[in-house]
Amino acid sequence: MNDNINNRGLWRSKIGFIAAASGSAIGLGNIWRFPYLTGENGGAAFVFIYMFFVLLIGFPVMLAEVSIGRNTQRNPVGAFKKLAPKTHWKYVGILGVISGFAILSFYSVVAGYALGYIFETLFGAFRNVQTAQQTKLIFGEFASNPISSLLCLSLFLFVNGIIVYKGVEEGIERWSKTLMPILLFLLIFLVIRSLTLKGSLEGLNFYMKPDFSKVTGSTFMNALGQAFFSLSLGMGTMITYGSYLSKKDNLVTSVSYVCLFDTLIAFIAGLAIFPALFAMGLAPNEGPDLVFVVIPSIFSKIPGGTYFGTAFFILLVIAALTSTISLLEVVVAYIIEERGWSRKRATVGASIISFLLAIPSALSGGIVKFFTKLPYYGGDFLSFMSTVFGSYALSIGCLFIAVFVGWRWGVHRASQEIANGNPKFKSRVLWHFLIKFVSPIAVLLIILNLIKSSFF
Ligand code: PHE
């Protein structure tokens, strides 16, 4: 520890936290992962269950994380050390920092693909394609080229590093405030285009009219896991962002806005994708390739599609960037405060390590056989990282955070923290019940289900 702690930044305004935390939450999770999971899990019913979980589990856990952050004014590791000194709880923070590195690595590879696709689309790679099969080939070729993959990855990590290096108010807050409205504007533009396509009604039905007969146990688990991933919970992102909040801020309203915006953007992303998808006669269950294979083939058949497509991938990169800023910030805040490095050194060091960690994921698109089909696991390295850290590690992190606030730190002390800036805190009793019982039990169920579906 050193006096960097005394020089910690603070959000300049209430909007600063909401913009940055929404920026963290809104990302590839909303625009790429949410639509493809919705497609695979039967459409509207999944959307309905997902929203239920955001409200019942995501919201209380986010409030817990933010209150830990503001109370301790520390990075995740420092926060647990402060609230439970000389215990093993700090390992929950350490798991968060490790998850931050790991998620940043594979996430940046996908973001790098999006970055590359801005240029692919703009320079007309999809202008003459007729079928989704052709776009699949183009993506396969693109993802298996190690030079372009690594180049896009490094460019993305470089920009990300520069923003984080600028620090809390200068970098993160200003960028999020500018980028988020552009994102919303572009998405609404895409929705309008999508809904005016011939045959879009069928897609709208699929997305809005629930068919509960397709719901299984794994639908629930996918929805719950997606809620954590999308809300950036379980690795201390919200502890870190909450640590830059002032005592005057109302945590309940700030967290409500973040959950609302995140859910809204995911919902709007689906509204942009499904009507167009059905209009083009494509199947909704395309899987993780959805964005890179299906979207370009949709745009290739729309007048002006080159520009719509380019706009879409710019949007995807913007959304990813405001999420990776938060991933890197967790790691950087930890290195500065616990290891005493300067912000510059911490940012450069963490970015280089993330780049090295990302190389196997970047090569998992085809060139190196070992990384395309891992022994035992069977899948490629990127999806391995996504499963282990995006699902397992975040779920374990959320479980421990809920147990910590519910039972170790205590809901009463946490509530006192929340009452700063919100003296009445009306839903106190409900929140106590959710964080002590509902969240830990539900998260335990996800973990058990993940283990069951992976090994049996
Ligand atoms: N929530 C981000 C998204 O939806 C991903 C993320 C997960 C960011 C965990 C930070 C921490 O894209």
Side-chain angles (χ1 to χ4, degrees):
M1 303 228 187
N2 63 18
D3 42 61
N4 274 319
I5 283 176
N6 304 324
N7 301 329
R8 297 177 102 256
L10 274 182
W11 305 116
R12 290 220 176 113
S13 59
K14 188 185 164 84
I15 285 293
F17 169 78
I18 296 173
S22 308
S24 164
I26 298 160
L28 296 175
N30 307 57
I31 294 165
W32 161 72
R33 204 168 185 249
F34 174 77
Y36 100 71
L37 282 177
T38 302
E40 282 185 341
N41 287 278
F46 177 84
V47 178
F48 186 85
I49 296 166
Y50 170 81
M51 287 182 181
F52 180 72
F53 284 149
V54 167
L55 210 68
L56 204 74
I57 297 151
F59 177 81
V61 172
M62 193 185 287
L63 195 54
E65 274 200 36
V66 172
S67 64
I68 295 176
R70 191 176 66 175
N71 185 269
T72 58
Q73 309 275 295
R74 294 278 191 284
N75 67 88
V77 179
F80 284 104
K81 274 191 191 164
K82 194 173 176 191
L83 293 177
K86 299 198 172 63
T87 62
H88 293 309
W89 281 104
K90 67 166 186 275
Y91 291 107
V92 179
I94 290 175
L95 177 70
V97 174
I98 295 170
S99 307
F101 265 123
I103 296 177
L104 181 60
S105 74
F106 76 82
Y107 200 97
S108 301
V109 171
V110 182
Y113 290 157
L115 190 63
Y117 258 47
I118 295 175
F119 301 104
E120 288 278 300
T121 315
L122 186 64
F123 296 135
F126 305 105
R127 212 165 267 155
N128 299 316
V129 298
Q130 302 295 326
T131 62
Q133 214 46 45
Q134 283 170 290
T135 49
K136 210 177 192 102
L137 273 177
I138 295 175
F139 181 65
E141 224 165 83
F142 179 81
S144 65
N145 181 341
I147 296 171
S148 61
S149 292
L150 289 172
L151 221 81
C152 291
L153 165 71
S154 11
L155 184 61
F156 182 83
L157 278 174
F158 180 72
V159 175
N160 189 47
I162 288 184
I163 301 173
V164 171
Y165 164 61
K166 293 269 187 192
V168 174
E169 318 85 355
E170 275 305 306
I172 299 168
E173 183 172 344
R174 202 175 66 198
W175 275 84
S176 297
K177 268 195 214 164
T178 338
L179 297 178
M180 284 297 102
I182 301 175
L183 175 75
L184 192 65
F185 174 77
L186 278 171
L187 262 179
I188 291 172
F189 183 65
L190 283 176
V191 171
I192 295 169
R193 189 67 196 95
S194 181
L195 284 173
T196 48
L197 285 171
K198 221 194 221 154
S200 62
L201 216 67
E202 204 190 327
L204 201 61
N205 264 341
F206 173 82
Y207 190 55
M208 306 272 265
K209 238 167 118 188
D211 173 5
F212 285 100
S213 68
K214 290 208 184 81
V215 172
T216 64
S218 83
T219 315
F220 282 95
M221 294 305 152
N222 280 332
L224 197 47
Q226 171 61 12
F228 289 141
F229 186 83
S230 190
L231 293 169
S232 304
L233 296 175
M235 54 156 279
T237 312
M238 293 300 164
I239 294 180
T240 309
Y241 274 19
S243 76
Y244 305 127
L245 270 167
S246 92
K247 293 283 183 200
K248 279 186 242 126
D249 281 309
N250 184 331
L251 299 188
V252 179
T253 41
S254 295
V255 166
S256 309
Y257 276 121
V258 177
C259 290
L260 183 78
F261 290 154
D262 186 61
T263 312
L264 202 70
I265 294 280
F267 182 74
I268 294 177
L271 209 54
I273 287 171
F274 287 107
L277 199 84
F278 276 74
M280 305 318 296
L282 289 160
N285 56 347
E286 284 292 330
D289 288 356
L290 189 78
V291 166
F292 298 105
V293 174
V294 178
I295 294 289
S297 73
I298 294 170
F299 285 123
S300 72
K301 291 177 184 150
I302 311 176
T306 299
Y307 302 103
F308 284 114
T310 307
F312 180 84
F313 286 108
I314 291 174
L315 176 152
L316 199 60
V317 171
I318 292 170
L321 200 53
T322 52
S323 299
T324 49
I325 289 168
S326 75
L327 287 162
L328 185 58
E329 179 61 21
V330 169
V331 177
V332 165
Y334 161 75
I335 301 176
I336 293 173
E337 289 169 17
E338 305 299 316
R339 302 266 164 244
W341 289 27
S342 69
R343 180 165 272 273
K344 185 174 179 183
R345 215 175 134 209
T347 311
V348 173
S351 298
I352 290 174
I353 295 175
S354 305
F355 175 74
L356 296 175
L357 261 177
I359 291 176
S361 293
L363 298 181
S364 71
I367 188 91
V368 184
K369 279 259 153 44
F370 180 80
F371 294 132
T372 53
K373 206 165 190 272
L374 287 182
Y376 303 111
Y377 177 69
D380 64 49
F381 192 84
L382 198 151
S383 40
F384 172 76
M385 292 293 275
S386 165
T387 308
V388 172
F389 292 98
S391 298
Y392 285 77
L394 289 189
S395 303
I396 292 168
C398 271
L399 173 65
F400 281 118
I401 288 165
V403 171
F404 180 78
V405 171
W407 302 92
R408 177 61 169 84
W409 186 30
V411 281
H412 294 289
R413 260 170 291 199
S415 294
Q416 263 163 24
E417 179 54 51
I418 295 168
N420 289 316
N422 182 7
K424 290 198 197 98
F425 186 24
K426 289 204 191 83
S427 40
R428 192 185 290 246
V429 178
L430 175 67
W431 182 67
H432 290 183
F433 175 69
L434 291 174
I435 207 72
K436 279 182 96 152
F437 302 106
V438 178
S439 307
I441 292 170
V443 178
L444 198 64
L445 286 177
I446 313 176
I447 297 169
L448 291 178
N449 183 72
L450 278 175
I451 295 171
K452 198 181 120 214
S453 61
S454 310
F455 294 107
F456 302 104

